[in-house]
Amino acid sequence: MRALMPIPNTDFDPTEAAVPWKTLTKAGIEVVIATPDGNAATADPIVLSGKGLGPLGFLLRADRNGRSVYEEFAGTVCASPTSYASVAAKDFDALILPGGHAPKMRTYLESSVLHACIADFFASDKVVGAICHGVVAAARAKQADGNSVLFGRRTTALTEEMELFAWRVTKRKLGDYYRTYPQTVQSEVTLALGEEGEFL
């Protein structure tokens, strides 16, 4: 089996990418990493170090296991990824969309090339897993009828309560670091689901 994991060149959450990669790899699944331009990738340095996260930094930073697995992830597949433009759903059995909230995540969340690829995975009825902000990337991918690929489905994502809590406790030192967009993840995903869908 082969799984595709697209990430931005920087600012992705180290745990949300590295732990699924490690789990799938241990299960014998080949995981192919893709970045916007095919250049090497590095995780969000704030989540790795905890610097600037304030008194609750121990809760908001990557835990010991996440940091340890990320070191292995960064030293192998992150060093030589492929590009979004060079991958196609037909060559994979599954798609994993990790999250992250820092500003440079936008190159991943706003990529029309990636959105088209995500739509192909859904159209082919392949396995798709998304974590946290990764669900936003799926929400922005469109079906042939113009609706989101998530339209009418059930999903979860980063909840508004969690997103706004992290933003409030860090905004004094980090500003809008935790607000990737003015609209919360839950709000955008809920709109994409439509009236027939359900946000859990």
Side-chain angles (χ1 to χ4, degrees):
M1 273 190 82
R2 297 180 86 217
L4 174 65
M5 182 184 289
I7 54 178
N9 291 106
T10 189
D11 277 357
F12 60 90
D13 186 287
T15 302
E16 293 173 11
V19 171
W21 165 79
K22 183 70 172 181
T23 302
L24 293 170
T25 301
K26 283 176 72 174
I29 298 169
E30 178 190 1
V31 181
V32 175
I33 304 299
T35 60
D37 53 13
N39 289 328
T42 56
D44 178 349
I46 294 175
V47 173
L48 279 171
S49 69
K51 186 175 180 180
L53 294 178
L56 295 178
F58 70 97
L59 288 174
L60 299 174
R61 72 177 285 191
D63 66 13
R64 181 179 299 166
N65 178 61
R67 293 192 306 274
S68 174
V69 174
Y70 172 72
E71 285 182 23
E72 184 182 354
F73 180 70
T76 55
V77 290
C78 278
S80 56
T82 189
S83 68
Y84 293 171
S86 68
V87 295
K90 66 180 178 59
D91 298 323
F92 297 92
D93 302 292
L95 173 68
I96 308 299
L97 299 168
H101 53 267
K104 292 181 182 171
M105 278 291 293
R106 292 177 184 166
T107 60
Y108 161 73
L109 298 173
E110 297 174 5
S111 171
S112 58
V113 173
L114 182 56
H115 295 162
C117 184
I118 294 168
D120 287 344
F121 272 91
F122 275 86
S124 303
D125 202 27
K126 295 193 175 186
V127 174
V128 178
I131 305 165
C132 201
H133 277 69
V135 184
V136 172
R140 293 177 176 179
K142 304 296 183 189
Q143 305 175 109
D145 64 6
N147 286 320
S148 168
V149 295
L150 297 183
F151 184 80
R153 296 177 182 265
R154 299 170 67 205
T155 189
T156 190
L158 176 65
T159 64
E160 187 167 274
E161 181 180 16
M162 291 175 70
E163 183 175 354
L164 295 180
F165 171 78
W167 171 67
R168 286 186 190 106
V169 300
T170 60
K171 68 178 179 176
R172 185 170 169 210
K173 289 190 175 183
L174 298 175
D176 286 337
Y177 163 73
Y178 265 100
R179 296 301 306 276
T180 314
Y181 298 101
Q183 184 178 35
T184 64
V185 168
Q186 181 174 345
S187 178
E188 180 170 353
V189 170
T190 299
L191 285 172
L193 293 171
E195 292 184 5
E196 297 176 17
E198 183 181 5
F199 185 93
L200 302 174

